[in-house]
Amino acid sequence: MKRIPAASSLVAGALCAALLGACARLGAEHADQATQIDSAQSTQSEPYRAEIRRTADGIPHIRANDWGGLGYGAGYVQAQDNLCTLADAFVTYRGERSAQAGPHFGPDARPPSAASFGQPRNLDADFFFRLVANDDAVARFRTAQTPRVRALVAGFAAGYDRYLDDLRAGRFAGAHAACASAEWVRPINADDVYRRLIAATLAGGEGHFVEAIAHAQPPSAQAAPAQPEAASAPHADRGATPVAMNIAPARFEIAQRAGIGSNALAFGAAKTRDGASLLFGNPHWFWQGPDRFYETQLTIPGQLNVAGATFLGVPVVMIGFNDNIAWTHTVSQARRFGIFQLTLVPGAPTHYLYDGRDEAMQAVPITVQARQRDGTLASVTRTLYRSRFGPLIDLASMSPALAWNAQHAFALRDVNADNTRVFENFLAWDGAKSLDDFIAIQKRYAAAPWVNTFAIGRNDARVWFADIGATPGVSDALAQACTPPLGRAFDAKAPGVPFLDGSKSACEWQSEAGTPQARTLGVAHMPSLLRDDYVGNFNDSYWLTNPAVPLTGFARVTGITGIPQTLRTRLGHALAAQLQAAPGGVTREAVEQGVLTSRSMSEELLRRPVLDALCKADAPDVAATRNGSDDADVAQACKVLAAWDGTARSDARGANLWDEFWRRASALPPEKLYRTPFDPAAPLTTPSGLKTDDAATLAALRHALGESVRALRAFGFAADSTRGQLLYTQRGAVRVPLYGGCNDAGYFTVVCAQHPLNAGGYAMDGSGHGDSYVQVVSFGKDGVDADTMLAHSLSDDPASPHYSDATREFARGTWQRFRFTESAIAADPVLSATTLQSMPSAPAAPAQ
């Protein structure tokens, strides 16, 4: 059942936000009365003008007559709702965190929340962004943009600054108390926004390697070689001693976090009850920090009308819908970067050989100001290095064999460092006229930076999946011919990452005719699928997008096939099958209910077998697994798990205990845990069953049950504590109980605190991630029908009425029908409209 909050307190709060804060802070008039706000401080030669309408949920519907005005409105509302987060982020992208005073600043502190570039030490982040987003990089990126993107960016910066002026003029007393008077909150310009856009494009490549880039240094002249020549040289014998690589499974996930990604399902008209295609999109994304989603609608009459979500600091919709198409994304398994092993010139560790020629690395001296303990600033200088392939990286933490030594060094190439088309691609999608138009745009730009794409169209029975974007031009034949021994050892831990011999031009990434970017794969060599039944992805590769027609035959750089799938992937396809099997087919209501049921594939596979094997007095081999110290706790665990409903709903009793058990049980090797091993011919049903014929396995699982009870007890939680007692978000004085769980346990509804159990349970208020902007979209006779959620709410400001309202709705499982049409917006019971206009610094034509 869909509800629009109507309680008087919530209406009053929505009214306040709808008037850009004026109601709560200035005593504004009734919400349907438009307010004209002029700025005498603008330095623009032409005025910006935007109308900002806010509905009860606080979502801004921005309307302007030109691109600059649209950006102006977008910058203003994003700053109004999230000033502290945005201002902190702009400090990061400028490489100035070490110089600032206050919590989370200074050289040894870290940003307050994780982002797509991780959560590195501030000094390392400063050097990284000073290298990859320096003035030259910004100039190249800016020059490559279309006039409308440049206008949006300039307008966004002006709108952000306008809000800051208004705040400091006292118009919004009490807003953003955490940062409003901080010195580091200062005006921005268009280049700051470009730095933010560059950071977003690099999340699938250089963003994985902040510390590795910031610390890459040549060996000293006195340093001994770290690796014998025969083992490290590109042409070493293939039978060389194997090299141990210490690469965590999540090392190359976005922000190095397993589970950061998404769920997506699209059902074609042939499978839906009403005969119209239906799209579900659910990014599992950051709840805090600069990459969190912001929900909005952007309109230029006659040119653009699009709604959905975007990252903070970005002036285009990145996931959403218009009146003709709807789309979403999941994080792709394609590799968006590669490593080149450089053969160094003897005695010259900053020179390398390329086709036998001596080629010098580019030395890039960078100086960062770092605040000392006494408050003074000191200059810290590092010289970082670039090669023809990209920046040098220090991979010694993965293996001593990967250190920069006298014989070799390693350079990183990020395919998106040259992909300047990303945001023009998004803007083109924002205005797509049909599914065919959407597909043509994707193929023309090939710019999606590190995501898969799903789309449906109005009056179109088909559904679209594609991992068509910037992808390294590395065929399997090239990889086979050009991967040195160290690269083969690396591939065993990080399959598909191109790790090539950088001494030969023949081992460069290859270009294909007709591609918009050199050294990338062509569209025909990237996976896509157009169906009338369904497509789905849950962050495994493209392989089983539709299990009835597995996609194969693509280069390993695009993703790996024939390997075990995650528990979430298995559950996602099981849910799709269940929805399609319902009498009459898939319905919106069934999808909206099904995606929030908080089922767990680990529970569905193994809870009953565990209970049968370990909790029945007459179960075989139970006596052999007994340990007197475990007995009471195991008995309690068995009782709780037997009574559990198998979900992670906020009131469920057993999910906390199961997750603690699964964390311990899943540490067993798959061959010890499962009775039936993985079978590539049955990838969605194997591995399966519990290996009950191994006494050591049963003993380990029994001990895990007892340890799980004790772990909960140690932090003051009962074995049958409810999910919401441990999994929650604190919003002011109110604790909001939540549901769902983490990717590792196979939850489809991902709400993951990303830290082990502690006295605070699984609080989401550090660097949690999970369901973020969620949408279910279809098209009816009157146009688009979109139900949405923004799990973390619109604003980071505790003083805002939209700091927690959407989170409470998400916690109740309440979908909101998005007010997209003019008539729907006008019918909102607490609608407000504010006309925001800058004043030109010189005479200019009046706004149209």
Side-chain angles (χ1 to χ4, degrees):
M1 179 178 179
K2 304 172 186 66
R3 295 180 287 143
I4 298 293
S8 59
S9 61
L10 186 53
V11 170
L15 178 59
C16 295
L19 281 169
L20 297 175
C23 171
R25 299 153 187 156
L26 298 175
E29 298 177 358
H30 192 270
D32 62 1
Q33 199 170 8
T35 303
Q36 183 78 26
I37 305 175
D38 293 320
S39 171
Q41 288 76 35
S42 174
T43 59
Q44 301 300 314
S45 60
E46 296 289 339
Y48 290 121
R49 181 184 177 91
E51 183 184 19
I52 300 168
R53 297 171 292 173
R54 293 214 188 223
T55 43
D57 46 24
I59 295 171
H61 305 257
I62 304 166
R63 186 166 56 188
N65 289 330
D66 55 42
W67 299 104
L70 198 64
Y72 190 67
Y76 193 97
V77 297
Q78 285 200 26
Q80 185 183 27
D81 290 330
N82 293 279
L83 178 66
C84 294
T85 299
L86 277 165
D88 181 275
F90 287 126
V91 174
T92 300
Y93 304 138
R94 286 193 294 262
E96 296 177 351
R97 298 197 65 86
S98 298
Q100 305 305 318
H104 307 294
F105 290 114
D108 294 320
R110 295 175 186 269
S113 301
S116 55
F117 53 85
Q119 201 170 7
R121 181 170 169 254
N122 286 339
L123 190 62
D124 293 336
D126 288 347
F127 279 109
F128 173 79
F129 283 108
R130 292 284 184 96
L131 179 70
V132 304
N134 60 18
D135 290 345
D136 289 343
V138 168
R140 288 193 301 271
F141 195 93
R142 180 180 59 241
T143 299
Q145 302 310 303
T146 61
R148 63 180 184 174
V149 171
R150 290 199 293 269
L152 277 168
V153 167
F156 187 97
Y160 177 99
D161 290 351
R162 165 64 185 282
Y163 176 75
L164 190 57
D165 288 345
D166 287 352
L167 178 67
R168 291 183 169 169
R171 292 176 176 169
F172 305 116
H176 306 290
C179 70
S181 61
E183 185 279 333
W184 49 269
V185 180
R186 60 181 192 263
I188 65 171
N189 58 33
D191 283 357
D192 289 307
V193 182
Y194 285 121
R195 288 187 174 90
R196 193 278 168 271
L197 301 184
I198 290 170
T201 67
L202 300 180
E206 289 178 358
H208 294 304
F209 296 93
V210 173
E211 295 93 339
I213 290 172
H215 286 285
Q217 296 290 294
S220 65
Q222 294 78 28
Q227 191 70 14
E229 177 75 19
S232 61
H235 305 292
D237 181 74
R238 291 180 179 269
T241 303
V243 176
M245 299 281 181
N246 180 25
I247 303 175
R251 182 65 181 83
F252 301 126
E253 302 286 346
I254 301 293
Q256 294 82 57
R257 289 162 171 251
I260 283 284
S262 309
N263 292 332
L265 283 165
F267 296 98
K271 293 294 182 178
T272 62
R273 187 173 298 178
D274 62 3
S277 54
L278 180 71
L279 176 75
F280 159 68
N282 179 7
H284 301 150
W285 206 240
F286 304 95
W287 276 33
Q288 294 87 23
D291 288 321
R292 64 184 270 171
F293 280 115
Y294 186 82
E295 192 172 4
T296 190
Q297 182 172 4
L298 304 175
T299 304
I300 299 177
Q303 295 188 64
L304 181 76
N305 190 19
V306 64
T310 189
F311 293 164
L312 289 176
V314 176
V316 301
V317 169
M318 301 173 72
I319 292 177
F321 50 89
N322 63 30
D323 222 3
N324 300 298
I325 56 101
W327 78 100
T328 191
H329 298 292
T330 63
V331 173
S332 165
Q333 285 297 308
R335 303 303 190 177
R336 310 295 175 166
F337 65 93
I339 296 167
F340 286 88
Q341 180 173 329
L342 308 182
T343 300
L344 301 183
V345 173
T350 61
H351 288 243
Y352 59 97
L353 295 172
Y354 187 74
D355 283 344
R357 300 189 307 273
D358 180 328
E359 193 162 297
M361 298 175 191
Q362 177 192 2
V364 185
I366 299 172
T367 298
V368 168
Q369 296 300 306
R371 189 168 295 274
Q372 307 302 293
R373 292 185 177 179
D374 63 2
T376 62
L377 294 176
S379 296
V380 180
T381 298
R382 293 181 191 171
T383 298
L384 303 180
Y385 294 86
R386 284 189 171 277
S387 70
R388 64 167 46 240
F389 307 105
L392 274 289
I393 51 174
D394 175 12
L395 299 177
S397 63
M398 297 181 183
S399 170
L402 298 179
W404 185 346
N405 61 30
Q407 286 77 43
H408 64 219
F410 302 93
L412 181 76
R413 173 175 281 165
D414 185 335
V415 72
N416 286 302
D418 296 317
N419 179 10
T420 57
R421 311 174 305 283
V422 175
F423 297 97
E424 178 61 31
N425 186 156
F426 279 121
L427 193 53
W429 275 340
D430 288 353
K433 303 301 183 185
S434 67
L435 182 58
D436 286 334
D437 187 26
F438 184 95
I439 293 170
I441 289 167
Q442 183 163 23
K443 291 181 176 180
R444 181 167 70 250
Y445 287 101
W450 32 264
V451 290
N452 304 303
T453 303
F454 293 77
I456 62 172
R458 185 175 184 176
N459 298 323
D460 197 313
R462 305 166 300 167
V463 292
W464 169 249
F465 160 85
D467 193 359
I468 293 176
T471 305
V474 181
S475 66
D476 288 351
L478 177 67
Q480 178 63 29
C482 288
T483 301
L486 285 176
R488 288 191 291 277
F490 193 93
D491 185 76
K493 292 287 188 176
V497 173
F499 192 122
L500 306 179
D501 181 354
S503 71
K504 298 183 290 188
S505 59
C507 293
E508 282 270 17
W509 295 356
Q510 298 166 336
S511 297
E512 291 193 32
T515 57
Q517 181 177 332
R519 301 191 178 96
T520 61
L521 290 182
V523 168
H525 295 133
M526 291 183 276
S528 65
L529 194 61
L530 191 62
R531 299 283 296 179
D532 65 359
D533 51 359
Y534 95 101
V535 288
N537 181 265
F538 317 94
N539 300 125
D540 275 306
S541 80
Y542 58 85
W543 177 34
L544 300 176
T545 296
N546 184 307
V549 284
L551 292 169
T552 58
F554 297 94
R556 295 178 82 250
V557 71
T558 64
I560 308 301
T561 64
I563 61 173
Q565 302 294 282
T566 66
L567 294 174
R568 179 159 56 87
T569 289
R570 294 172 64 179
L571 184 55
H573 285 297
L575 175 61
Q578 175 187 328
L579 290 166
Q580 292 174 88
V586 180
T587 65
R588 172 188 293 269
E589 291 73 18
V591 170
E592 291 182 351
Q593 180 181 7
V595 298
L596 299 181
T597 54
S598 303
R599 294 163 57 188
S600 158
M601 195 63 180
S602 61
E603 181 277 332
E604 295 193 9
L605 284 175
L606 290 181
R607 178 169 63 119
R608 178 48 55 191
V610 165
L611 290 172
D612 289 344
L614 300 178
C615 296
K616 291 184 177 180
D618 59 348
D621 298 324
V622 165
T625 68
R626 288 198 180 280
N627 177 326
S629 63
D630 276 342
D631 284 353
D633 293 331
V634 169
Q636 186 177 14
C638 289
K639 181 178 179 181
V640 171
L641 293 180
W644 178 32
D645 69 0
T647 75
R649 297 183 312 192
S650 61
D651 61 350
R653 297 181 181 274
N656 300 326
L657 178 61
W658 179 261
D659 286 3
E660 288 302 307
F661 166 73
W662 183 254
R663 186 169 66 84
R664 295 163 172 81
S666 61
L668 290 170
E671 62 272 16
K672 289 286 188 181
L673 182 61
Y674 292 105
R675 181 181 67 248
T676 303
F678 171 70
D679 180 357
L684 296 180
T685 56
T686 59
S688 63
L690 184 66
K691 194 173 183 65
T692 57
D693 59 354
D694 187 319
T697 293
L698 293 180
L701 294 177
R702 192 169 190 280
H703 185 64
L705 281 177
E707 279 290 294
S708 301
V709 172
R710 291 189 286 275
L712 287 164
R713 184 191 306 135
F715 290 112
F717 301 110
D720 66 345
S721 54
T722 67
R723 185 54 137 196
Q725 286 178 269
L726 273 70
L727 183 64
Y728 62 89
T729 181
Q730 191 75 33
R731 297 301 169 106
V734 177
R735 176 177 287 194
V736 182
L738 298 169
Y739 51 86
C742 293
N743 179 72
D744 290 346
Y747 285 100
F748 190 81
T749 306
V750 173
V751 179
C752 185
Q754 278 293 314
H755 61 73
L757 176 68
N758 59 31
Y762 305 130
M764 286 287 290
D765 301 311
S767 290
H769 76 256
D771 291 20
S772 52
Y773 170 74
V774 193
Q775 64 177 19
V776 174
V777 189
S778 63
F779 296 92
K781 60 183 178 59
D782 296 323
V784 65
D785 294 321
D787 294 335
T788 71
M789 293 177 165
L790 191 66
H792 46 65
S793 290
L794 200 66
S795 175
D796 68 359
D797 182 8
S800 168
H802 304 297
Y803 175 66
S804 62
D805 57 343
T807 303
R808 294 193 301 271
E809 293 299 296
F810 171 75
R812 287 192 285 266
T814 305
W815 293 86
Q816 303 286 343
R817 176 57 54 93
F818 193 95
R819 295 182 179 273
F820 184 76
T821 65
E822 288 299 312
S823 60
I825 295 168
D828 187 90
V830 293
L831 176 69
S832 74
T834 299
T835 300
L836 189 71
Q837 182 169 313
S838 68
M839 295 296 289
S841 58
Q848 298 297 310

